[in-house]
Amino acid sequence: MHTLISGADALRIPLAVEQVEQFGVYAALLAEWNQKMNLTAITDWEGVQTKHFLDCLVGLPLIAEEIGASLPPKRSLDCIDIGTGAGFPGLPLKIAWPGLKLTLVDGTAKKIRFLNEVARALALENVETVQGRAEELGRHHRFRGQFDLVTARAVARLNTLAEYLLPFVRRGGLAVIYKGPGAAEEFIEARKAIELLGGETVRFAPVQAPMLDEERRILLIRKERKTPKRYPRQQGLPRKNPL
Ligand code: SAH
């Protein structure tokens, strides 16, 4: 796990031996399960370390800076990862930052089974998995307005994603969105939606994931006002007819 170790070092994210071991078990499970089901296109050892683990960890210093916390933060934060797939970015953030209370959401049952297995094998505490659609869970009182951090990577275009994510964010909390090339264009397209849903963009930061030569931006949106009751709209609409 040399790549992970030196990359985390470059990001100034301290990782103890046990945490590196957890990443190792996670990578092994990813490769194993991927032989039976399609979880991710990337399963080679190097690729998993750079394109998954480090690519997810790159958001951590930005989040910590924005919430004014040291690493790891003193108060435990409630985090929900929407459309997490094989656990990204939620699980790498949780491994690096064990104090997080993490909820992992995906629409697909087989991904939830995988995530349960990873949480068990890594003996992670305070990890809950939920099979469901963002549009439905975001209207449920158990989830709506309940989270300090709401994350997503590679789930939808920004205008759609804003409607998926912002309903979950507690006032004063943050939506943390990982974007690749084309982010600037998507951002212009989504500005109205972000405002309408009660968000205020606080960072639109170009970041450099270690050992990865790809354009990457992290968007931080602070929840300033309550999301109007009519959002999120019913299943499928945020994607088909974005705000
Ligand atoms: N975030 C992961 C997976 C990206 S693939 C990563 O970065 O690798 C997108 C995932 O989002 C899929 O697993 C899909 O099942 C899930 N998804 C897409 N739309 C969703 C929705 N509206 N509600 C819940 N999950 C959704």
Side-chain angles (χ1 to χ4, degrees), residues 83-85 88 106-108 111 132-135 153-155 164 239:
T84 189
F88 305 118
D106 203 274
T108 321
K111 305 217 166 133
R133 307 280 309 173
E135 302 94 309
R153 187 185 78 156
V155 176
Y164 286 169
R239 185 183 291 268

Side-chain angles (χ1 to χ4, degrees), residues 55-115:
D55 189 56
C56 292
L57 289 179
V58 79
L60 198 48
L62 273 182
I63 299 168
E65 203 180 298
E66 196 54 45
I67 59 179
S70 55
L71 281 175
K74 292 174 190 72
R75 188 173 77 82
S76 98
L77 298 170
D78 286 301
C79 176
I80 190 166
D81 189 26
I82 303 297
T84 189
F88 305 118
L91 281 176
L93 295 179
K94 168 72 184 172
I95 295 170
W97 204 350
L100 273 188
K101 287 191 192 142
L102 178 65
T103 304
L104 297 166
V105 171
D106 203 274
T108 321
K110 64 178 186 181
K111 305 217 166 133
I112 297 297
R113 281 203 302 278
F114 171 73
L115 297 167

Side-chain angles (χ1 to χ4, degrees), residues 141-210:
H141 64 89
R142 247 193 84 205
F143 300 100
R144 189 179 180 91
Q146 300 299 313
F147 296 90
D148 303 298
L149 294 173
V150 181
T151 56
R153 187 185 78 156
V155 176
R157 277 184 85 83
L158 197 50
N159 46 11
T160 300
L161 203 53
E163 190 170 353
Y164 286 169
L165 302 188
L166 281 164
F168 291 96
V169 189
R170 169 176 292 158
R171 237 193 290 178
L174 290 175
V176 180
I177 299 165
Y178 289 67
K179 280 286 169 193
E185 208 176 286
E186 282 187 45
F187 181 56
I188 292 167
E189 195 182 83
R191 265 150 92 168
K192 212 181 67 196
I194 294 170
E195 153 88 36
L196 189 62
L197 294 156
E200 203 82 59
T201 305
V202 287
R203 295 284 287 270
F204 186 45
V207 289
Q208 183 65 56

